[in-house]
Amino acid sequence: MADETTRLATAAAPDGTTDVPEHLRRELEEAFERTVGGEGRVEPRDWMPEGYRRTLIRQVAQHAHSEIIGMQPEGNWILRAPSLRRKAILLAKVQDEAGHGLYLYSATETLGVDRGELTEKLISSKQKYSSIFNYPTLTFADIGVIGWLVDGAAICNQVPLCRSSYGPYARAMVRICKEESFHQRQGFELLRTLMAGTEAQRAMVQDAVDRWWWPSLMMFGPADGDSPNTQQSMAWRIKRHTNDELRQRYVDMSVPQAEALGVTFPDPELRWNAERGSYDFGAIDWDEFTAVVKGAGPCNAQRLAHRRAAHENGQWVRDAASAYAAKQEARRREGVAA
Amino acid sequence: MGGPDSDSAYQALAETLDGDDGRWAFGAGFDAGTAEIDAPAPEGVDRDDLATYCLMLADDALVASQRLAEWTTHAPELEEEVALANIALDLLGQARVLLSRAGHLGAAEPFRVGPQDDEDVLAYFRDERAFRNVVLAEADLGDFGRTMAWMLVYSSWRLALMTRLVASRDVVLAAVADKAVKELAYQRQYAAQWVVRLGDGTEHSHARMQAGLDGVWPFVEELFAVHPVEARLVEAGVAVDPAELRAELDAVLDQVLPPAGLTRPERPAVGLVAGRGGRDGIHTEALGPVLAMMQSLARAHPEATW
Amino acid sequence: MSMSDDVTAHVEGEPHFDGAPKARWPLYEVFVRGKRGLNHVHVGSLHAPDDTMALHNARNLYTRRNEGVSIWVVRGDAITASSPDEKDPFFAPAGDKVYRHPTFYDIPDSVPHL
């Protein structure tokens, strides 16, 4: 970060919120904007506008929650995975997601929030997670489609975040994106296998694609006109592209892949537009999107109840480990004193 | 894919699907086969006996792995999600090689109904009575305390077994054992740490930990029973004598239980049926539902591969 | 990757979020030496009840149980970090200690790879 900002920050309170005279705040903000605008990285101890910090905490926490809640729809099939190879892959993939959640919670903690606090917010519905995970996984083909379409959409969203202006987030995303690309490939490979299999397996794939296509388009968030935070997030280089840009890119990449697989997307208006050099596609059902975001999706209540139960059922274990650590520490001190 | 800055997440997708990239975590390949699986049975060793022994050790791991996988998304903390999945993956890996070996020795043929690989024929198309695992492997894992008690017993016993199996005359068993020793040492350490933490944590955790240990205790005795197949293969220098393993489990418990403040339970062992137990395919009622869950999808599509 | 900039150490005057009624495990920072010849590098953080478990979890999470790498775990509250206001006094003096700069040393061209 620029020296100038650093020097200015010296005079400011650490969190940049209190006791900063107005003229100094303006200077700090300008210096911050210069760093971010010049593709510099903001690091945890730097001064940052409170809005930037809040936006980041919300976005990264939401991302972390999505990884953790996202374990559930796939976890639904681990015990029933129809071959041992698929079982191993799925178990490892869901495990990766726990790891991704941990990387991301770790990034939010650099912003001064505690993971326990974020978990409380998740299970009390005060923070959100990606709505896609409120849809059910009904067949094993859903596992392939989640890898191909859902992880694919996530990658589209996430690859640009490897260049996010906030250093710890960007670094976490580099790790995550590397693993996500494997996740997506395993999904596509599973679908290819099923498409080369029996009639029932092919039907299973098409059914899963029909159910997941529209929700995957919704993963990019509201249309640009209805996304009030996008401009600020882009100016801060927290986000790098608008929702609609990413969505279009995703559609353009997915259509040839669907053709290669031999499946169709459930959208009669989907067609190549030579003039734009892109695919046109039909209108997204934003009413459904809004309903799911507000908690009325097929699995919202179930997902949260599941996460809450795991957290609460584990409290005695976490308490015991803390109590044991305290006892050990006391014994160590006694030993030193004796 | 290219560098993370390239924005081209899909670039590699189409190109590398046929490559050897079916692995990304924990250095564990997802394809079970190793070249050694084709090795002939050691001279003078009965093929059926060897296949049965492979099934015993495979089923111990497969069923235990399936049980542990039940913890997914239910663990007491996210770090424990990662650890438990690791352990389930390790056991699944051991099971797969052993099943493939058993299949190579002819064990899959009576169960084959479709085009599946040997390991999947044996995992998905055998009924309960054909499973050869000790009943400890199928036992309900209960809460985290009971799971840790279970894991301490299971991993200590299996580690003692695998440590000796490294010297087996069968190259596949020796190779499986060589890898498993490291994995099981990790498991045993993980379990031992938690048993002590929970035993010496809060009053509540102490009570639950003791109850967990009490709950798995009836399944311990069977671990040291010698099946006739094992007896013959011990003679042939291929198998490990289970009776030898008791002292090692005792030593581990003597080391772990006192600092945990736990007492060694005095509970009767689960009974046998006309002298027969898990190694003969005589199980507890716990195994049926475990297999029903595991096998349901594969059996609904007997002509399919995945 | 930058070294230790995102260590979540608490410094005086920074908001500190505990005081929750239920036990939470403390935060540990994790440093990994990826291979011989490299420094330990900060890779992230995790929660654990004690040092032993922290090391165990770090191995699971950040090294994928890759044997042979070296891991340090340090409790976050044991780390004292420079804060931006200390940067100048800390880092400025190095500028006048010319022996710290590689160009101070006149290496003959015949010595390779320096």
Side-chain angles (χ1 to χ4, degrees), chain A:
Chain A
M1 193 157 183
D3 286 349
E4 197 174 353
T5 319
T6 304
R7 271 199 303 279
L8 286 167
T10 313
D15 65 356
T17 51
T18 49
D19 302 330
V20 185
E22 189 52 33
H23 71 280
L24 183 53
R25 164 182 293 279
R26 265 201 308 278
E27 282 183 68
L28 282 165
E29 276 172 3
E30 281 165 18
F32 171 86
E33 302 286 350
R34 270 197 300 281
T35 299
V36 165
E39 296 291 330
R41 289 291 175 271
V42 180
E43 294 296 345
R45 320 205 61 71
D46 294 333
W47 185 90
M48 60 187 83
E50 192 51 24
Y52 177 87
R53 184 191 296 269
R54 267 203 311 271
T55 303
L56 265 173
I57 289 174
R58 194 185 62 226
Q59 181 176 331
V60 184
Q62 185 168 321
H63 191 166
H65 297 329
S66 301
E67 296 283 356
I68 300 306
I69 295 289
M71 294 166 69
Q72 289 181 36
E74 292 176 283
N76 182 33
W77 284 94
I78 289 176
L79 297 178
R80 291 179 287 168
S83 78
L84 297 184
R85 176 169 176 270
R86 294 291 172 200
K87 188 189 290 288
I89 290 173
L90 189 55
L91 191 50
K93 179 172 189 251
V94 172
Q95 182 191 39
D96 277 353
E97 281 152 13
H100 295 175
L102 285 169
Y103 300 155
L104 290 162
Y105 283 127
S106 165
T108 56
E109 294 197 274
T110 66
L111 293 159
V113 283
D114 180 88
R115 189 169 103 203
E117 192 181 344
L118 297 175
T119 302
E120 297 291 342
K121 282 188 172 156
L122 168 66
I123 61 184
S124 60
S125 301
K126 288 184 187 130
Q127 281 180 341
K128 294 191 189 311
Y129 54 88
S130 179
S131 284
I132 192 86
F133 301 119
N134 291 316
Y135 290 89
T137 48
L138 301 178
T139 72
F140 197 71
D142 290 37
I143 299 305
V145 171
I146 285 180
W148 173 41
L149 292 180
V150 176
D151 292 338
I155 290 171
C156 269
N157 269 327
Q158 289 171 2
V159 166
L161 296 178
C162 296
R163 291 185 290 129
S164 165
S165 61
Y166 189 59
Y169 189 31
R171 291 191 285 276
M173 290 314 305
V174 170
R175 270 183 106 89
I176 290 170
C177 285
K178 271 186 196 152
E179 293 180 348
E180 289 288 352
S181 74
F182 286 105
H183 290 181
Q184 198 200 14
R185 272 184 233 170
Q186 70 79 30
F188 197 78
E189 187 242 13
L190 170 56
L191 295 179
R192 276 204 340 173
T193 306
L194 299 192
M195 289 305 287
T198 65
E199 194 58 46
Q201 286 175 306
R202 278 192 293 278
M204 210 182 264
V205 174
Q206 184 61 56
D207 168 64
V209 170
D210 288 345
R211 283 181 287 112
W212 289 94
W213 172 246
W214 288 109
S216 75
L217 291 186
M218 295 177 197
M219 283 178 73
F220 295 91
D224 291 347
D226 300 316
S227 180
N229 299 326
T230 293
Q231 286 314 316
Q232 180 63 78
S233 285
M234 286 180 66
W236 279 337
R237 304 290 203 272
I238 295 175
K239 278 177 80 162
R240 314 288 311 209
H241 306 281
T242 72
N243 296 348
D244 285 336
E245 282 167 14
L246 289 170
R247 187 163 19 236
Q248 182 68 59
R249 184 185 300 187
Y250 172 72
V251 171
D252 291 345
M253 287 191 283
S254 299
V255 172
Q257 291 168 358
E259 283 165 5
L261 265 183
V263 296
T264 56
F265 291 131
D267 179 0
E269 293 172 51
L270 185 67
R271 64 177 58 85
W272 178 249
N273 182 329
E275 207 171 299
R276 290 202 305 125
S278 271
Y279 286 89
D280 292 336
F281 53 97
I284 290 169
D285 181 354
W286 292 114
D287 290 342
E288 177 177 318
F289 176 77
T290 308
V292 178
V293 169
K294 287 189 172 159
C299 301
N300 297 58
Q302 173 195 336
R303 300 283 186 245
L304 275 185
H306 184 131
R307 181 72 192 109
R308 187 182 305 121
H311 187 67
E312 287 171 0
N313 291 339
Q315 189 66 47
W316 72 277
V317 175
R318 299 192 297 276
D319 288 345
S322 297
Y324 174 76
K327 282 187 196 178
Q328 287 293 91
E329 178 65 16
R331 285 172 194 143
R332 196 185 58 79
R333 286 200 183 142
E334 274 170 35
V336 170

Side-chain angles (χ1 to χ4, degrees), chain C residues 28-52:
Chain C
Y28 282 81
E29 299 296 340
V30 182
F31 301 80
V32 172
R33 184 207 297 285
K35 59 179 180 183
R36 286 170 189 284
L38 298 179
N39 284 320
H40 284 77
V41 172
H42 180 249
V43 294
S45 63
L46 52 76
H47 289 263
D50 53 42
D51 298 355
T52 312

Side-chain angles (χ1 to χ4, degrees), chain B residues 23-98:
Chain B
R23 48 184 288 167
W24 66 82
F26 299 92
F30 291 116
D31 299 299
T34 70
E36 289 170 339
I37 281 169
D38 297 339
E43 210 181 309
V45 172
D46 182 79
R47 258 171 80 94
D48 290 346
D49 275 357
L50 184 57
T52 302
Y53 189 61
C54 287
L55 282 181
M56 291 174 176
L57 299 182
D59 292 345
D60 289 343
L62 177 62
V63 175
S65 170
Q66 179 78 4
R67 276 299 198 189
L68 277 175
E70 292 175 7
W71 269 106
T72 309
T73 71
H74 296 281
E77 189 48 287
L78 297 177
E79 281 83 358
E80 270 32 73
E81 287 285 349
V82 177
L84 291 167
N86 259 338
I87 293 168
L89 276 168
D90 283 346
L91 292 174
L92 182 54
Q94 293 171 23
R96 293 181 64 195
V97 181
L98 289 164

Side-chain angles (χ1 to χ4, degrees), chain B residues 97-112:
Chain B
V97 181
L98 289 164
L99 288 174
S100 297
R101 176 65 166 163
H104 176 72
L105 296 165
E109 295 324 309
F111 307 100
R112 192 179 300 285

